Every structure is written in C-alpha cells, then in structure tokens.
Amino acid sequence: MSPIGVFDSGYGGLTILQQLRKQLPERDFIYLGDNARAPYGSRSFDVVYEFTRQAVMKLFSMGCRLVILGCNTASAKALRTIQQRDLTTPLQPSQGEGASNLQPQTSNLMEQGYRVLGVIRPTVEIIGSLTKSRHVGVVATEGTVRSESYALEIAKFYPDITVTGQACPLWAAIVEAGESESEGAEYFVRKRINQLLDKDPMIDTIILGCTHYPLLMNALRKAVPDGIKIVAQGEYVARSLEDYLHRHPDLDANCSRGGTVQFFTTESPERFKECAAMFLHEEVNVQHIDI
C-alpha cells in the first residue's frame, strides 16, 4: 500500500494538497517541497525537468506509486518528458537518485504501476464549460506563460478558444512574504490584470496558473471586473484525481487509506512550518530531506 505523493517547488502545491485532502480525506499523502531550490518559474526547461525528475524519483523511493506535480512550472516544463522518457525507459539496477527501493529489473516504471500527473490538464478539460466568449486569460509565472502549455493544451480540447497569457513575476513572492492582503498586493495584482485585459478585452474567464495565486483571491476579486470568472485549480485537480482513480482500480486499490499527511522540505523545517500555516491554516510537522 502506498501514499499519494504531491510535489511542488515551494509552497503553492499546498493549495492543491488542501483540495485533495478535502476530496479524498481517507487517502494518505506525502508532500515534498523543494524549497531550497525554489522558485522554478524563471529556470530553464532542462533545469526544471532535472529538479522535478529528482523529486519524483525520491517520492517513488519513499513508497509513492502515484505523484501529483502540484506545480504549474513543473507540469509545463517537466511532466511530459518524465511521462514519455523516465516512466517508459527500462530500469537498470543503479538508475536514478533514491531508486534503490524500486525493483532492479528491465521493465519500466509505468509497467510497474508508477504514474505522474500534473495540474494543467484537469483545469484545461473544464474550461470549455466556463467561458462563453471563448476568450480565456492565464496569469502565471514567466516560465509557465513562456511555455504556452495552457494555450497548447486548450487548443487540443477547444480549438475555438483564444488564450492570452500574462506573467506575474512578483505574485508568488508576495504570498510567501505574508503580504497577500496588503495594499502592495492589490497594486501588483491590479497592474497585471489590467495588462491582461488590455491584451484581450473579450476575456471572460481567468485561470490562476500558479498554485500560490488562490491566496491572492481577495485582491483578485477587487481587480477583476464583474462578470469575469476566476478559476483556481485545486478543486478541479482534486475532482480529476478522484475520477482517475475510479478509472484505474488497480492503482486505486494500491493507495493506502489512513487519512495521514507527511511533509518534507529541502530547506528549513521552521520556515516551512510558518508558510504552511498561511496556506493550510493549521500547524504541520515537517522533516528536512535531501533529493
């Protein structure tokens, strides 16, 4: 039996974990934050892929067979390569950091039942039912916007939808500094929303393409005009995961059910506790880990 792993470069993935626990309260989870190397948003594709791969392998070695990338940047820059390369490459006895607990045989990880999922596709799948104007905005980190992952994925499902991205480089930092309710937060949120709507005034739905951004919801509601929907990812990711498990009963049966959560960080446990309290509104026990 195995817990479900949730990975993020920092703290934003805690908003995804919160919704997963709400939707699947009986499941066990392990949350891993690579806080020592955050943020990922402005890093290259190769670096984000390598950091994410290391974290996924660590979670696999800790007993997780299913890992959710609770990070838009990792989902945009690393998910597909991990799915197509790392899960399907025949294993060798010495492959990968932290891979000692994986079966040292020539079959690949996918054949052994390991899976990695992201946060972009679940949001994309429902967007067609939310927009009437067929014009959608995405606010996200520079890396996610530059990858055009949302535009590419939405085009697969809804080729009639126009997607406009807006990078918001300071928003995650504002959240982690505990300033999400400040006047400064309102200023920078309004600035980027105005820039987005100047690019496409027909936008009627805005996707929060970074898992930090739900903590800016009060500022967003003030900045976003009435009639425009604001889409946070957590609820849709959680629903999608529940549906995925229903469609994969073997994987579902392997997920342990104790209602527990373990937290690990690559940086300071004390710093993680402080930020986790902002995101989860509860105190957590966390351990330092190297990946």
Side-chain angles (χ1 to χ4, degrees):
M1 301 298 285
S2 65
I4 298 171
V6 180
F7 167 70
D8 187 21
S9 58
Y11 303 101
L14 293 169
T15 63
I16 301 297
L17 175 66
Q18 186 177 44
Q19 292 298 321
L20 294 176
R21 292 169 67 188
K22 182 178 179 180
Q23 192 78 21
L24 301 165
E26 75 283 2
R27 307 305 171 100
D28 294 322
F29 294 93
I30 294 179
Y31 183 91
L32 171 56
D34 188 15
N35 308 89
R37 300 189 292 194
Y40 281 16
S42 59
R43 294 184 183 273
S44 70
F45 275 77
D46 289 343
V47 169
V48 171
Y49 159 69
E50 182 58 25
F51 286 180
T52 304
R53 184 192 67 80
Q54 291 170 3
V56 167
M57 292 299 294
K58 174 61 74 172
L59 284 165
F60 283 168
S61 74
M62 295 167 72
C64 300
R65 285 181 173 266
L66 172 62
V67 173
I68 310 299
L69 302 185
C71 172
N72 280 272
T73 302
S75 295
K77 293 185 175 183
L79 176 62
R80 181 163 298 180
T81 304
I82 288 173
Q83 291 175 331
Q84 295 180 349
R85 179 190 302 173
D86 298 286
L87 296 188
T88 59
T89 300
L91 286 172
Q92 300 300 322
S94 61
Q95 178 179 320
E97 296 88 346
S100 59
N101 291 341
L102 305 176
Q103 300 177 38
Q105 55 193 44
T106 56
S107 65
N108 62 48
L109 289 171
M110 183 168 287
E111 290 172 346
Q112 292 185 23
Y114 291 87
R115 298 290 187 273
V116 183
L117 305 175
V119 294
I120 292 176
R121 184 159 182 169
T123 312
V124 165
E125 288 176 345
I126 55 87
I127 205 66
S129 65
L130 300 179
T131 174
K132 294 181 179 179
S133 71
R134 315 310 278 177
H135 288 252
V136 171
V138 178
V139 288
T141 65
E142 179 183 351
T144 298
V145 171
R146 188 181 298 169
S147 74
E148 297 188 343
S149 294
Y150 276 95
L152 294 171
E153 287 296 316
I154 289 174
K156 294 176 185 177
F157 289 89
Y158 310 104
D160 61 316
I161 291 179
T162 297
V163 180
T164 303
Q166 176 62 53
C168 306
L170 292 178
W171 287 16
I174 288 170
V175 170
E176 292 193 9
E179 297 293 333
S180 57
E181 301 295 333
S182 68
E183 291 183 4
E186 291 185 12
Y187 169 80
F188 285 110
V189 167
R190 188 175 300 278
K191 176 180 180 180
R192 298 305 182 188
I193 292 297
N194 288 343
Q195 289 175 342
L196 174 67
L197 297 179
D198 284 345
K199 293 178 183 177
D200 185 355
M202 294 182 65
I203 287 171
D204 72 348
T205 306
I206 297 176
I207 297 172
L208 304 186
C210 173
T211 50
H212 283 73
Y213 295 175
L215 272 72
L216 292 167
M217 191 61 75
N218 288 337
L220 282 159
R221 289 192 177 114
K222 293 178 181 179
V224 174
D226 292 341
I228 297 180
K229 300 180 183 70
I230 303 172
V231 180
Q233 298 170 292
E235 176 185 352
Y236 302 107
V237 173
R239 289 181 186 175
S240 178
L241 177 59
E242 184 176 41
D243 178 67
Y244 183 87
L245 292 173
H246 286 162
R247 291 185 287 106
H248 297 81
D250 291 344
L251 183 62
D252 184 30
N254 192 60
C255 292
S256 56
R257 291 165 168 79
T260 66
V261 187
Q262 299 177 69
F263 295 91
F264 296 89
T265 177
T266 57
E267 199 182 33
S268 162
E270 291 305 317
R271 168 64 176 157
F272 187 95
K273 287 180 182 179
E274 292 176 7
C275 284
M278 288 192 297
F279 282 84
L280 300 176
H281 307 293
E282 64 179 272
E283 291 188 6
V284 303
N285 293 317
V286 59
Q287 301 177 51
H288 174 83
I289 194 170
D290 293 316
I291 60 175

